[in-house]
Amino acid sequence: MKAVVYHQYGPPDLLKLEEVEKPVPSDNEVLIKIHAVSINGSDREALIGKPVYVRIGGLRKPGYPILGSDIAGSVEKAGKNVTQFQPGDEVFGEIPGYHGGFAEYACATENTLARKPTSLTFEQAAAIPQAGVIALRGIRDKGQVQPGQKVLINGAGGSAGSFAVQIAKLYGAEVTGVDNTYKLDYLRSLGADHVVDYTREDFTRSGKQYDLILDVIAHRSVFACARALKRGGTYFFAGGSVGIIFQILLIGPWIRRMTGKNLRMLLVPQNSSDLLSITKLCEAGKIVPVIDRRYPLSQVPEALRYVTEGRAKGKVVITVA
Ligand SMILES: NC(=O)c1ccc[n+]([C@@H]2O[C@H](COP(=O)([O-])OP(=O)(O)OC[C@H]3O[C@@H](n4cnc5c(N)ncnc54)[C@H](OP(=O)(O)O)[C@@H]3O)[C@@H](O)[C@H]2O)c1
């Protein structure tokens, strides 16, 4: 099959379209013929090898040569222990381990997949999984957002942020979106009440405080983040620098005791029940999986360059078949 592969961490030019072995599903997996795969921040990170936790599978070079985790396609073959899906079923979801999707075929376990609703295209379905589930957990399920609360989303114009802004608005929050200059009108179009340009302003120094902060690109110290929280408020780290993870784990409990402000890690296991929850909101038209651009498989390097240059608003999708 054709796949886009890379053998060292670095810029998008290192990605090459090559012929590779078609994967063989284990007894617990299905083989999926991929129709569409979307790009997430996790692909950008695994491409460059930063933050350092993305090197867990391969310290000096990528542990797995194919990026891409969020796929939509049709089942070609089902392992003998698979009970929910059979050949011909249209499915979507995440590939365990966040890799293998920039290809014509991939294998996935059934617990990270769901049936693709007929009302959604393959591209729309591929745009939902990782980003939609991070946003749903961070804002609704763990964030427990309430009407009238002030919510800030750092990295609001990207994959997870675009869902998070919409979910926070849907549940009645007053939303501030933080991203680069070029994405501010886009954030307003998603419903953000206020926008902050991260290239000009540091939201932790504005004097404003929030009930809930979802940070998908964390790099500010826990003290700075605590400053931007109301007493009783919660800050969730969804992605960002490793140093901040240690700060949250080591200093977070102390900050909570002293100030009543919660600084927490948002853990988002790949699973189909959260995927179905966010997808229901998309089917009902309450949340839109925003697709900025589509590229063919042969142009994955261009697609990732577009994302890394800070231009992508919402999702970029690769149309495979
Ligand atoms: N917690 C979990 O269990 C879990 C599970 C899966 C994934 N993740 C992680 O969750 C994160 C999800 O990210 P994503 O897919 O939404 O990424 P994304 O699509 O790349 O979006 C990130 C957004 O943040 C913006 N940004 C960059 N620097 C910024 C700054 N200094 N301040 C504010 N915004 C900034 C980017 O804009 P530019 O275009 O200007 O760069 C972009 O719009 C990833 O780190 C991923 O690894 C976490």
Side-chain angles (χ1 to χ4, degrees):
M1 66 167 186
K2 287 194 173 55
V4 176
V5 301
Y6 77 131
H7 300 290
Q8 63 187 95
Y9 297 116
D13 312 346
L14 295 170
L15 295 159
K16 303 281 176 230
L17 185 68
E18 288 180 5
E19 282 292 328
V20 302
E21 289 289 315
K22 190 171 164 182
V24 178
S26 70
D27 291 347
N28 298 320
E29 290 178 326
V30 290
L31 175 69
I32 299 160
K33 179 173 169 54
I34 299 174
H35 293 255
V37 49
S38 76
I39 295 180
N40 286 291
S42 54
D43 299 309
R44 183 177 40 74
E45 293 165 343
L47 174 67
I48 61 174
K50 281 187 198 153
V52 75
Y53 57 73
V54 300
R55 297 190 182 224
I56 285 170
L59 194 59
R60 301 177 73 84
K61 61 185 185 100
Y64 196 88
I66 306 174
L67 295 167
S69 82
D70 288 11
I71 55 167
S74 37
V75 172
E76 187 160 289
K77 199 172 171 189
K80 70 175 190 301
N81 297 337
V82 171
T83 56
Q84 297 175 54
F85 306 114
Q86 56 188 25
D89 287 348
E90 293 183 347
V91 295
F92 73 118
E94 291 186 63
I95 304 176
Y98 306 104
H99 50 60
F102 294 159
E104 290 179 313
Y105 295 87
C107 294
T109 47
E110 54 186 341
N111 59 349
T112 61
L113 297 173
R115 250 168 236 278
K116 183 186 82 63
T118 48
S119 58
L120 297 178
T121 64
F122 284 105
E123 284 88 353
Q124 287 170 323
I128 297 172
Q130 189 188 122
V133 170
I134 290 174
L136 193 71
R137 280 220 163 196
I139 301 295
R140 191 188 75 178
D141 298 345
K142 294 286 178 190
Q144 305 255 301
V145 70
Q146 302 296 322
Q149 281 191 330
K150 292 188 192 310
V151 173
L152 180 137
I153 295 142
N154 193 40
S159 305
S162 295
F163 282 97
V165 170
Q166 296 182 68
I167 294 169
K169 284 305 294 176
L170 181 66
Y171 288 95
E174 182 180 328
V175 178
T176 300
V178 185
D179 216 299
N180 73 40
T181 323
Y182 174 71
K183 300 186 192 180
L184 301 184
D185 281 342
Y186 165 65
L187 295 183
R188 291 188 190 99
S189 77
L190 290 178
D193 301 286
H194 314 283
V195 293
V196 175
D197 181 347
Y198 78 77
T199 66
R200 293 175 186 195
E201 196 183 338
D202 178 347
F203 75 86
T204 65
R205 296 197 172 276
S206 66
K208 298 194 177 103
Q209 292 188 314
Y210 301 89
D211 299 285
L212 177 63
I213 297 175
L214 176 63
D215 199 345
V216 301
I217 190 121
H219 63 279
R220 291 189 178 84
S221 78
V222 285
F223 299 107
C225 296
R227 199 164 54 224
L229 271 184
K230 290 184 185 175
R231 192 173 177 82
T234 302
Y235 167 94
F236 277 124
F237 171 108
S241 109
V242 177
I244 308 301
I245 297 178
F246 284 113
Q247 288 187 21
I248 288 173
L249 296 176
L250 298 174
I251 311 172
W254 178 79
I255 291 180
R256 187 162 73 226
R257 272 200 303 281
M258 301 303 287
T259 66
K261 300 176 179 185
N262 305 295
L263 295 140
R264 298 187 190 283
M265 300 288 303
L266 180 72
L267 297 179
V268 189
Q270 297 176 308
N271 73 94
S272 54
S273 60
D274 284 344
L275 176 59
L276 286 168
S277 292
I278 179 70
T279 303
K280 280 201 185 104
L281 295 176
C282 296
E283 282 186 271
K286 293 179 175 169
I287 302 289
V288 178
V290 181
I291 299 176
D292 180 356
R293 284 195 178 183
R294 295 166 173 79
Y295 290 83
L297 188 62
S298 58
Q299 287 181 14
V300 166
E302 285 82 349
L304 266 155
R305 201 170 300 121
Y306 180 68
V307 170
T308 54
E309 282 170 358
R311 289 188 284 152
K313 297 169 181 165
K315 300 288 301 190
V316 171
V317 173
I318 308 300
T319 304
V320 183

